[in-house]
Amino acid sequence: MGKILKGDVNPSGHLTDTYVYDLYNTPVSKNYGSFMYDNYAKVTGGEKNISMFVNYVEGIYVGYKFYETAAKEGLINYEKTVQYPFGYGLSYTEFESEIAKVEDNGEKISLQVNVKNIGDTAGKYTAEIYYTPPYYNGGIEKASMNLMQFAKTKLLEPGEEQTLQIEFLYEDMASYDSSCIKSEEGAYVLEEGEYEISLVVILIPYWIATKQR
């Protein structure tokens, strides 16, 4: 930590959670507490209720998936709610990054991400690839943003560039159909529609038209 504060080491870490301004205004905070069963004596025959439970109701909308989806749906003001988003990180230098090439064979997506250190200090950069699936009212629940893959560069000197190779399968974007809307039994389903692939906050979208699987 001392070397980072002195500038001898350039930090390259990223947050693994979302930090909001008001923890008491988060959906999960409504589930905190010691909730007692009201039928304990009837079920167990015991006189004293010593069992408690927590009712988790977030479903798939945990962490950044809730905030990104809620903002897209207009339920929250993202800028006023989120202080530091998932994947946030600081550096003593600046980078340029872009999805330079996309290869799609119908089963696998291969991306070439070009990264350049445009600052005056050596540092590392993490390319975070997200996907946004199609959503239909009454259909399979999906978050609006989902981390797919990430890759970190080597230590790049000022002006130095590196190309990262990132790959993932179509099936990695499938959503679990717990309500059996599209499947006879619970299963992962890749719904038909357009899937947007993006690099961190720099949106260089690539759309994939799929048929349901």
Side-chain angles (χ1 to χ4, degrees), residues 111-164:
L111 306 176
Q112 285 187 5
V113 179
N114 288 349
V115 181
K116 181 178 182 180
N117 185 346
I118 60 173
D120 55 9
T121 303
K124 297 179 182 180
Y125 176 85
T126 300
E128 301 172 20
I129 302 298
Y130 292 81
Y131 75 93
T132 299
Y135 174 74
Y136 309 99
N137 287 334
I140 301 173
E141 282 194 287
K142 306 183 192 75
S144 65
M145 291 290 286
N146 303 269
L147 179 65
M148 169 59 67
Q149 287 281 11
F150 63 90
K152 180 175 282 190
T153 67
K154 64 179 183 178
L155 185 68
L156 297 179
E157 298 295 333
E160 189 176 4
E161 301 180 47
Q162 183 179 352
T163 298
L164 299 173

Side-chain angles (χ1 to χ4, degrees), residues 73-116:
E73 296 295 321
L75 299 178
I76 64 170
N77 182 312
Y78 192 89
E79 297 298 327
K80 293 182 178 180
T81 302
V82 176
Q83 185 174 21
Y84 297 110
F86 174 88
Y88 177 84
L90 293 176
S91 175
Y92 291 133
T93 190
E94 294 183 89
F95 296 92
E96 282 183 346
S97 61
E98 64 173 349
I99 299 176
K101 184 178 180 181
V102 179
E103 293 183 358
D104 180 358
N105 65 7
E107 295 290 335
K108 181 177 68 175
I109 304 296
S110 299
L111 306 176
Q112 285 187 5
V113 179
N114 288 349
V115 181
K116 181 178 182 180

Side-chain angles (χ1 to χ4, degrees), residues 17-60:
D17 200 356
T18 300
Y19 287 75
V20 296
Y21 287 101
D22 184 4
L23 288 174
Y24 290 102
N25 197 31
T26 61
V28 68
S29 69
K30 307 300 187 291
N31 300 323
Y32 292 159
S34 299
F35 302 101
M36 311 298 290
Y37 290 99
D38 57 10
N39 62 342
Y40 179 84
K42 180 179 180 180
V43 173
T44 66
E47 297 181 359
K48 186 177 181 181
N49 189 348
I50 58 174
S51 296
M52 296 175 289
F53 69 93
V54 174
N55 187 23
Y56 295 100
V57 297
E58 295 82 23
I60 66 170

